[in-house]
Coordinates of all heavy atoms in Angstrom, one line a residue:
H145 N 17.0 26.9 4.8 CA 18.4 27.4 4.4 C 18.8 26.8 3.0 O 18.9 25.5 2.9 CB 19.5 27.2 5.5 CG 20.8 27.4 5.0 ND1 21.3 28.7 4.9 CD2 21.9 26.6 4.5 CE1 22.6 28.7 4.4 NE2 22.9 27.4 4.2
Q146 N 19.3 27.6 2.2 CA 20.0 27.2 1.0 C 20.9 28.3 0.5 O 20.6 29.5 0.3 CB 18.9 26.8 -0.2 CG 19.6 26.3 -1.4 CD 18.5 25.9 -2.5 OE1 17.7 26.7 -2.7 NE2 18.7 24.9 -3.2
E147 N 22.2 27.8 0.2 CA 23.1 28.8 -0.3 C 22.7 29.1 -1.8 O 22.3 28.3 -2.5 CB 24.6 28.2 -0.4 CG 25.1 27.7 1.0 CD 25.5 28.8 2.0 OE1 25.2 30.0 1.6 OE2 25.9 28.6 3.0
V148 N 23.0 30.4 -2.2 CA 22.5 30.9 -3.4 C 23.8 31.5 -4.1 O 24.6 32.4 -3.5 CB 21.4 31.9 -3.5 CG1 21.1 32.4 -4.8 CG2 20.3 31.4 -2.7
L149 N 24.1 31.0 -5.3 CA 25.4 31.4 -6.0 C 25.0 31.9 -7.4 O 24.4 31.3 -8.2 CB 26.3 30.4 -6.2 CG 27.0 29.7 -4.8 CD1 26.1 28.7 -4.2 CD2 28.4 29.3 -5.1
P150 N 25.5 33.2 -7.8 CA 25.3 33.6 -9.2 C 26.4 33.0 -9.9 O 27.6 32.9 -9.6 CB 25.7 35.1 -9.0 CG 26.6 35.3 -7.9 CD 26.2 34.1 -6.8
A151 N 26.1 32.4 -11.1 CA 27.1 31.8 -12.0 C 27.4 32.7 -13.2 O 26.7 32.5 -14.2 CB 26.6 30.3 -12.4
I152 N 28.4 33.5 -13.0 CA 28.8 34.2 -14.2 C 30.1 33.8 -14.7 O 30.5 34.2 -15.7 CB 28.9 35.8 -13.8 CG1 28.9 36.7 -15.1 CG2 30.0 36.0 -12.8 CD1 28.7 38.0 -14.7
I153 N 30.9 33.0 -13.9 CA 32.1 32.4 -14.3 C 31.7 31.2 -15.3 O 30.8 30.4 -14.9 CB 32.9 31.7 -13.2 CG1 33.0 32.9 -12.1 CG2 34.2 31.0 -13.7 CD1 33.9 34.1 -12.6
P154 N 32.3 31.2 -16.4 CA 31.9 30.1 -17.5 C 32.1 28.7 -16.9 O 33.2 28.5 -16.3 CB 32.6 30.5 -18.6 CG 33.8 31.2 -18.2 CD 33.3 32.1 -17.1
F155 N 31.3 27.9 -17.2 CA 31.5 26.4 -16.7 C 32.5 25.6 -17.5 O 32.9 24.7 -17.2 CB 30.1 25.7 -16.8 CG 29.2 26.2 -15.8 CD1 27.8 26.2 -16.1 CD2 29.4 26.6 -14.6 CE1 26.8 26.5 -15.3 CE2 28.6 27.0 -13.6 CZ 27.2 27.0 -14.0
Y156 N 33.0 26.2 -18.7 CA 33.9 25.7 -19.5 C 35.4 25.9 -18.9 O 36.3 25.2 -19.1 CB 34.0 26.0 -21.0 CG 34.2 27.5 -21.3 CD1 35.4 28.2 -21.0 CD2 33.2 28.2 -21.7 CE1 35.7 29.5 -21.3 CE2 33.3 29.7 -22.0 CZ 34.6 30.2 -21.6 OH 34.8 31.6 -22.0
H157 N 35.4 26.8 -17.9 CA 36.6 27.1 -17.2 C 36.6 26.2 -15.9 O 35.7 26.1 -15.3 CB 36.7 28.6 -16.7 CG 38.0 29.0 -16.4 ND1 38.5 28.8 -15.0 CD2 39.1 29.6 -16.9 CE1 39.6 29.3 -14.8 NE2 40.1 29.8 -15.9
I158 N 37.9 25.7 -15.7 CA 37.9 24.7 -14.5 C 37.4 25.3 -13.2 O 36.8 24.6 -12.4 CB 39.3 24.1 -14.4 CG1 39.4 22.9 -13.4 CG2 40.3 25.3 -14.0 CD1 38.7 21.8 -13.9
Y159 N 37.6 26.7 -13.0 CA 37.1 27.4 -11.8 C 35.6 27.2 -11.7 O 35.0 27.0 -10.6 CB 37.6 28.8 -12.0 CG 37.3 29.8 -10.7 CD1 36.8 29.4 -9.6 CD2 37.2 31.1 -11.0 CE1 36.4 30.2 -8.4 CE2 37.1 32.0 -10.0 CZ 36.6 31.6 -8.7 OH 36.3 32.5 -7.7
G160 N 34.9 27.6 -12.9 CA 33.5 27.6 -12.8 C 33.1 26.2 -12.7 O 31.9 25.9 -12.2
L161 N 33.7 25.2 -13.4 CA 33.3 23.9 -13.4 C 33.1 23.1 -12.1 O 32.2 22.5 -11.7 CB 34.0 23.1 -14.4 CG 33.8 21.5 -14.6 CD1 32.4 21.4 -15.1 CD2 34.9 20.9 -15.3
T162 N 34.4 23.3 -11.3 CA 34.4 22.5 -10.0 C 34.0 23.4 -8.8 O 33.1 22.8 -8.1 CB 35.9 22.0 -9.9 OG1 36.7 23.2 -10.0 CG2 36.3 21.0 -11.0
L163 N 34.6 24.5 -8.7 CA 34.3 25.2 -7.5 C 32.8 25.7 -7.4 O 32.2 25.7 -6.3 CB 35.3 26.4 -7.2 CG 36.6 26.0 -6.6 CD1 37.6 25.5 -7.6 CD2 37.2 27.3 -5.8
L164 N 32.5 26.2 -8.5 CA 31.1 26.8 -8.6 C 30.0 25.8 -8.9 O 29.2 25.5 -8.0 CB 31.1 27.9 -9.7 CG 29.7 28.7 -9.9 CD1 29.1 29.2 -8.7 CD2 29.8 29.7 -10.9
M165 N 30.0 25.1 -9.9 CA 28.9 24.2 -10.4 C 29.0 22.9 -9.5 O 27.9 22.6 -8.9 CB 29.0 23.8 -11.9 CG 27.9 23.0 -12.4 SD 27.9 22.5 -14.1 CE 29.2 21.3 -14.0

Side-chain angles (χ1 to χ4, degrees):
H145 170 78
Q146 185 181 38
E147 305 286 6
V148 181
L149 296 85
I152 194 169
I153 305 300
F155 293 145
Y156 62 72
H157 191 278
I158 194 68
Y159 178 22
L161 177 67
T162 56
L163 276 86
L164 178 53
M165 184 181 75

